Amino acid sequence: MCDYFTNCEPNLTQDYFMEYFTENLADRKNMSQDFTPQCISQLVSEIGGKAENIADVCAGSGSLFVQARNKNKDAFFSCYELSETVLYFLLFNMAVRNVNGQVIQMDILSGKIHACYKLTRTETYSDIEVVGNPMVVKNDLVVSNPPYSLKCKEYNAKYKDYPDPPNQFADYAFVYFGLSIMKETGKCVYVLPHGLLFRGNKEKDIRKRLIQQKLLNAVIGLPDKCFLITSIPVFLLVLENNSQNVLFIDAKKECKKQSKYNAITQRNVERIHHAYIGRFDIDKFSNIATVQEIEENDYNLNIPRYVDTYEHEPLPDIMKVVDELLNINKEIKETESTLYRMMLQLVSSDAQRDAELKKIVETFGRIVNENGINNGCIQPGAIKEREDISRGSNNNMPCSRKQRGQKQTNTAKTGTGSSGKLRGGNTEEWEQLDLFTLCGMP
């Protein structure tokens, strides 16, 4: 089987089962399984560095193990996984890469061990044998992408005198287990949801304890949409003994945007790793926070509190804004005037309704008058002029449809005085008639 696999896939630098399990066999409802994308596994491996003994907690099919093995081919691996569905694929992934190690089928929260397998390197592929108990190993590096926000129904993973995790969120219980199997000189790198950084109550007490004990080394925020199924953003929690301060990295933009999900490229990995190794203070990207600064923030580790990524928007061109406002204002006046001319042509065969209609048009006419008298829509003197015309023609009857908005051909005036003209185009000139005069009203 291993020969057949390597003939088909001779490149053993990635986990070929991860995507299949994510799409077909992941138990998201009961076990919150989301298998780690290769790009995140590669970043975890770079942050973890060289190690002789490596543990992968909640290993799944082995995505984190595979990337750690790429950098540490001679390391001894201890992989912990509960799901029997994925366990045998994890064993195969380890055996086909010919490593020394062990696989422990274990419920991390309860501490119950269901089965143990020992892997021994040979000339080709690892031998696998069932053993009674796992080897007790302290690890230089612990990596993990545990299930997110499981209920902590049965908890047995106590760590020293640290506070117990809350019943509704078991995330820190998995972190405790990693610390319990880490060497004093070792390192833990966990992939976790952002809620652990700022949720209060017991989780705040845990963060406080980790910081006071100088265990918290770095917090690295990653882009969203990196997982195949869920779009939530995650972060890397890096724990090391004797950490004097905390490095915060905001790498949410360090990715290549794709149609369905975002990929952290090799260049992105190198930039994040460079900032982490050098513990550099880089504008809008990374910042070192002291314990005192974190205390002042009440042990809230939300990344924007420590890395300011705000981009000041450039000030707009004030002349351009004024021109746009003038153009908009002009369009409004022209639209009001056009609508008023159309309303002047409205009539009703019912006398009562026609009277109501005239009042409506009259009211709108006043609005147009007030809004447009200084804008050239209804020029000063237009009403008086139309009253004079009305008296001269003895027009005391309600206006007809023909009279309303009538095109002027013989009485057009020039100039900018009290002509009462409304210019509606390059070739036509329309007279804005006064509603009171047209309707024969005093």
Side-chain angles (χ1 to χ4, degrees):
M1 185 185 293
C2 289
D3 281 339
Y4 179 80
F5 181 84
T6 53
N7 286 334
C8 295
E9 300 290 354
N11 180 8
L12 298 177
T13 61
Q14 59 181 300
D15 176 15
Y16 292 97
F17 300 122
M18 184 272 295
E19 187 170 345
Y20 171 78
F21 263 94
T22 299
E23 294 182 347
N24 298 283
L25 297 177
D27 187 353
R28 301 197 73 248
K29 181 179 179 181
N30 298 312
M31 303 184 72
S32 299
Q33 289 177 319
D34 277 312
F35 292 89
T36 317
Q38 181 179 335
C39 58
I40 293 181
S41 297
Q42 184 181 355
L43 177 59
V44 170
S45 174
E46 292 293 331
I47 298 296
K50 294 289 186 178
E52 293 182 0
N53 293 287
I54 301 174
D56 185 353
V57 180
C58 306
S61 59
S63 178
L64 287 170
F65 150 74
V66 170
Q67 294 303 318
R69 181 258 178 191
N70 291 341
K71 291 183 69 71
N72 303 277
K73 290 182 169 57
D74 296 324
F76 182 91
F77 291 90
S78 299
C79 293
Y80 298 81
E81 176 56 43
L82 174 61
S83 171
E84 189 172 9
T85 304
V86 72
L87 185 73
Y88 302 112
F89 289 87
L90 172 62
L91 282 167
F92 179 84
N93 260 339
M94 296 178 70
V96 77
R97 290 167 175 82
N98 198 20
V99 300
N100 286 316
Q102 59 181 340
V103 172
I104 303 102
Q105 186 182 6
M106 177 180 180
D107 185 338
I108 300 297
L109 299 182
S110 68
K112 184 178 181 180
I113 296 174
H114 300 275
C116 298
Y117 304 86
K118 179 182 177 182
L119 293 96
T120 306
R121 178 181 291 170
T122 68
E123 292 183 359
T124 53
Y125 312 111
S126 301
D127 280 338
I128 302 175
E129 59 179 310
V130 179
V131 294
N133 296 298
M135 296 175 58
V136 178
V137 180
K138 288 290 186 177
N139 297 275
D140 304 293
L141 174 63
V142 179
V143 296
S144 180
N145 180 23
Y148 301 154
S149 303
L150 278 182
K151 299 292 184 183
C152 199
K153 298 178 181 177
E154 191 176 7
Y155 170 66
N156 192 43
K158 296 191 72 67
Y159 179 69
K160 297 183 177 179
D161 57 347
Y162 278 60
D164 289 343
N167 293 333
Q168 63 269 38
F169 301 118
D171 305 87
Y172 275 116
F174 294 102
V175 174
Y176 283 174
F177 180 78
L179 290 172
S180 69
I181 60 174
M182 181 188 79
K183 287 182 180 178
E184 284 294 317
T185 57
K187 179 189 298 185
C188 285
V189 185
Y190 271 70
V191 184
L192 296 166
H194 279 258
L196 274 75
L197 296 175
F198 52 80
R199 287 195 297 247
N201 301 321
K202 289 186 176 180
E203 289 184 314
K204 173 190 169 182
D205 295 336
I206 294 172
R207 292 194 300 271
K208 181 178 179 179
R209 186 74 171 146
L210 290 171
I211 293 164
Q212 290 177 339
Q213 293 297 308
K214 298 182 179 180
L215 268 169
L216 184 58
N217 181 264
V219 175
I220 304 173
L222 302 182
D224 60 358
K225 298 182 179 179
C226 284
F227 289 80
L228 295 179
I229 292 180
T230 179
S231 63
I232 65 168
V234 296
F235 75 97
L236 301 186
L237 181 72
V238 185
L239 302 171
E240 280 188 74
N241 280 303
N242 301 315
S243 296
Q244 301 302 315
N245 48 45
V246 181
L247 174 67
F248 288 86
I249 299 178
D250 190 335
K252 62 176 177 290
K253 295 182 180 179
E254 290 296 314
C255 64
K256 180 180 180 182
K257 300 288 185 180
Q258 297 180 342
S259 57
K260 292 184 178 179
Y261 58 92
N262 298 323
I264 302 173
T265 66
Q266 180 62 36
R267 184 176 179 180
N268 301 137
V269 170
E270 291 172 358
R271 183 164 189 248
I272 297 169
H273 183 244
H274 171 74
Y276 170 76
I277 291 297
R279 299 187 79 79
F280 296 120
D281 189 344
I282 302 173
D283 185 42
K284 302 186 186 306
F285 185 68
S286 60
N287 177 53
I288 294 178
T290 63
V291 173
Q292 180 180 354
E293 185 178 353
I294 295 173
E295 288 175 350
E296 291 172 353
N297 279 302
D298 199 24
Y299 298 97
N300 186 322
L301 301 179
N302 203 16
I303 297 172
R305 287 176 175 259
Y306 305 94
V307 183
D308 182 8
T309 60
Y310 177 74
E311 295 284 352
H312 291 277
E313 296 184 4
L315 292 175
D317 184 343
I318 188 64
M319 293 306 299
K320 185 178 180 180
V321 172
V322 170
D323 285 342
E324 290 176 352
L325 289 173
L326 289 173
N327 289 332
I328 292 171
N329 189 54
K330 181 180 177 182
E331 291 176 4
I332 291 173
K333 306 307 179 187
E334 291 175 350
T335 303
E336 287 178 344
S337 299
T338 301
L339 179 58
Y340 183 44
R341 290 199 303 272
M342 296 171 65
M343 292 176 69
L344 287 170
Q345 300 177 40
L346 297 175
V347 294
S348 174
S349 58
D350 182 271
Q352 182 178 351
R353 288 189 176 275
D354 193 57
E356 295 172 353
L357 180 61
K358 288 176 182 177
K359 290 182 179 179
I360 294 172
V361 177
E362 173 189 343
T363 302
F364 187 75
R366 287 175 177 168
I367 295 173
V368 174
N369 245 349
E370 293 171 357
N371 291 346
I373 192 165
N374 294 320
N375 196 51
C377 296
I378 303 177
Q379 297 186 15
I383 296 176
K384 179 66 168 61
E385 183 176 331
R386 293 313 305 161
E387 288 176 350
D388 294 341
I389 294 172
S390 176
R391 294 191 188 97
S393 60
N394 196 28
N395 182 15
N396 294 320
M397 298 298 293
C399 59
S400 65
R401 178 178 297 181
K402 181 178 180 181
Q403 287 175 302
R404 298 174 184 173
Q406 182 174 353
K407 182 178 179 182
Q408 303 299 302
T409 56
N410 300 324
T411 61
K413 297 182 181 181
T414 60
T416 58
S418 302
S419 61
K421 300 295 181 181
L422 174 71
R423 303 193 180 275
N426 294 329
T427 59
E428 293 184 341
E429 293 179 326
W430 293 83
E431 180 173 20
Q432 179 63 60
L433 303 181
D434 174 52
L435 184 64
F436 299 94
T437 301
L438 289 174
C439 296
M441 298 173 66

